[in-house]
Amino acid sequence: MKKIGIIFGGRSGEHSISLMSAASVIRAINKDKFQIVKIGITKEGKWLLYDGDADHVEDGTWQEEAEKALKENPDKYNITILGAGGKSIKELIDFALPILHGPYGEDGTVQGLLEMADIPYGGCGITGSAIAMDKLIAREIFMRAGIPVCKHIAVFKEELDNDFQKTIEKIEENLPYPVFVKPANMGSSVGITKAKSNEELKHALKEAMKYDRRLIIEEYINCRELETAVVGNFYAEAAAVGEILPSAEFYDYEAKYFDGGKSKICIPADIPQKTADEIREIAVKAYKLIDCAGFSRVDFFLEKETNKIYLNEINTIPGFTKFSMFPLLWEEAGVSCPDIIERIVELGYERYHAKDNR
Ligand SMILES: Nc1ncnc2c1ncn2[C@@H]1O[C@H](COP(=O)(O)OP(=O)(O)O)[C@@H](O)[C@H]1O
Ligand SMILES: [Mg+2]
């Protein structure tokens, strides 16, 4: 039986979301086919082997238990990914499934470590992960391929430090209010503000700069938010299209995770078949373009007045809880959560072995 290492937690602000996703994956995975090895990363970046319950992964108490186990039995629990000083992860697992959201996990860093350690893994490789995480670079690539994205400009911290006023003027000359201000590399709406005035823009820039020195400023699209779930390597396919109905003015951090279920998901989205097909087609095209693999969720805006479709972003490790769009979209397409996880493992092996033939 293959030993699958589920990697969860991580250094990003989305640590706790990763715990929820990983607990769902641990519960759903087919235990007749796979043996689970749980590997948690603390917020400080320490890797810990954990052999307790999925519930404790979810509620965060895994860390204390794993640290205690390590202290009591270092021979068994001291693990290392590269180098000496512990049991190497390559000996512990056959395959890794990183269920990490945001920087230091969804951005190619952990994927790079796994490549170095020669461990096959699920999901996108380094390139796809890094590009998808970078909203500025991803947009440039999509635009070149004729994929519709909303109007935006790049702003760097150095420009703001040198001449704050001039940079504000540059933004105002290019985009009308309201604008969306975002860190180029983040997720879960962290650091994102909708700015409706000069005053709010100044505030929004300072907020976004806490998270990244590269910012993206976008025109506001009065839109419906549609998402589809892609699975595959070169031959990829998209599941159904779903709609997010945020409880707040936009789908911010609170609305995503802490509004007590007031934000709604509608599957399939109530849109014409032609629009759904177009979204699925663009999703697969964008996925291949930036070298995604395994699985990703691709998010769109559908402008209300014009019905124009814009690609917003690709999430290479989307939320994977019972209530998350990604597994629910596949369920709608007739593929169960355990089956989709198994497919992700197969695709990871396919990519790993493809390298042998280069
Ligand atoms: N240009 C935009 N126009 C309208 N709403 C937007 C725009 N950009 C972002 N939003 C809103 O903000 C949310 C988060 O933005 P997004 O770019 O998806 O960042 P994240 O990577 O944090 O999910 C979106 O789901 C949407 O509700
Ligand atoms: Mg998003």
Side-chain angles (χ1 to χ4, degrees):
M1 214 189 311
K2 291 269 184 253
K3 286 178 282 189
I4 308 289
I6 311 272
I7 307 179
F8 56 86
R11 290 171 58 195
S12 90
E14 292 162 275
H15 179 99
S16 59
I17 318 301
S18 155
L19 300 184
M20 292 194 254
S21 289
S24 295
V25 172
I26 294 164
R27 288 183 196 118
I29 199 165
N30 186 342
K31 300 194 186 57
D32 295 331
K33 288 199 175 148
F34 304 114
Q35 187 187 330
I36 303 294
V37 178
K38 286 165 240 137
I39 299 167
I41 306 176
T42 69
K43 286 181 184 158
E44 294 72 40
K46 192 168 165 199
W47 293 49
L48 295 167
L49 183 62
Y50 178 59
D51 53 16
D53 217 63
D55 291 350
H56 294 188
V57 170
E58 186 154 44
D59 68 19
T61 51
W62 70 274
Q63 186 175 331
E64 210 182 303
E65 286 174 41
E67 272 164 354
K68 190 162 167 259
L70 172 63
K71 213 180 222 167
E72 286 168 5
N73 191 351
D75 285 348
K76 180 170 173 205
Y77 289 97
N78 192 14
I79 54 169
T80 175
I81 180 149
L82 296 173
K87 196 179 276 178
S88 98
I89 290 182
K90 185 152 170 73
E91 286 169 43
L92 287 170
I93 63 174
D94 298 306
F95 185 95
L97 192 53
I99 305 292
L100 300 158
H101 306 312
Y104 309 110
E106 199 178 346
D107 59 353
T109 50
V110 165
Q111 291 73 13
L113 266 180
L114 294 166
E115 297 270 351
M116 294 292 287
D118 193 30
I119 297 171
Y121 57 93
C124 295
I126 300 169
T127 312
S129 303
I131 296 176
M133 179 55 68
D134 192 302
K135 290 179 169 49
L136 276 171
I137 291 178
R139 295 285 164 94
E140 291 302 319
I141 297 173
F142 296 147
M143 272 161 58
R144 277 175 73 101
I147 292 174
V149 297
C150 68
K151 201 174 164 205
H152 63 274
I153 56 169
V155 166
F156 301 100
K157 180 177 182 297
E158 291 78 0
E159 287 177 83
L160 288 161
D161 286 346
N162 288 342
D163 197 335
F164 195 76
Q165 193 47 40
K166 198 168 144 217
T167 315
I168 298 270
E169 280 163 23
K170 177 179 100 172
I171 297 168
E172 290 181 335
E173 274 161 25
N174 280 282
L175 303 167
Y177 286 109
V179 293
F180 264 82
V181 179
K182 312 178 182 180
N185 283 277
M186 260 322 276
S188 287
S189 303
V190 174
I192 296 183
T193 312
K194 180 178 175 183
K196 295 169 196 156
S197 64
N198 177 281
E199 203 49 45
E200 287 182 11
L201 175 62
K202 287 177 186 160
H203 217 77
L205 291 167
K206 284 178 188 149
E207 179 61 21
M209 269 198 297
K210 287 184 196 161
Y211 302 96
D212 201 347
R213 49 165 283 276
R214 295 163 63 254
L215 312 181
I216 179 166
I217 324 297
E218 295 175 5
E219 69 173 326
Y220 163 71
I221 310 284
N222 180 16
C223 63
R224 291 168 71 183
E225 293 192 56
L226 303 169
E227 306 185 343
T228 187
V230 179
V231 162
N233 288 340
F234 184 78
Y235 298 101
E237 57 174 337
V241 175
E243 179 167 10
I244 298 280
L245 303 160
S247 59
E249 188 179 346
F250 72 95
Y251 205 30
D252 61 13
Y253 189 77
E254 288 291 314
K256 277 180 180 170
Y257 307 113
F258 300 105
D259 72 348
K262 275 189 264 133
S263 288
K264 292 273 181 294
I265 279 177
C266 177
I267 299 176
D270 184 13
I271 51 171
Q273 187 61 43
K274 192 173 151 283
T275 310
D277 288 343
E278 202 178 332
I279 284 175
R280 293 169 67 241
E281 196 179 311
I282 298 172
V284 171
K285 181 177 172 183
Y287 180 94
K288 286 193 208 173
L289 190 65
I290 65 165
D291 196 26
C292 286
F295 70 115
S296 290
R297 197 190 70 224
V298 189
D299 298 352
F300 292 85
F301 298 145
L302 179 67
E303 193 167 33
K304 284 181 185 163
E305 301 98 79
T306 61
N307 274 329
K308 211 175 151 210
I309 296 167
Y310 297 89
L311 175 62
N312 176 31
E313 60 164 347
I314 299 186
N315 292 281
T316 56
I317 309 185
F320 225 115
T321 71
K322 287 205 290 253
F323 313 105
S324 297
M325 192 62 111
F326 183 88
L328 292 174
L329 286 172
W330 278 104
E331 212 168 282
E332 172 69 19
V335 187
S336 72
C337 192
D339 285 352
I340 211 72
I341 297 169
E342 191 174 338
R343 183 79 190 115
I344 291 166
V345 174
E346 280 168 13
L347 288 162
Y349 272 114
E350 184 184 292
R351 232 167 60 81
Y352 180 77
H353 292 306
K355 281 190 204 145
D356 302 340
N357 304 325
R358 276 203 302 232

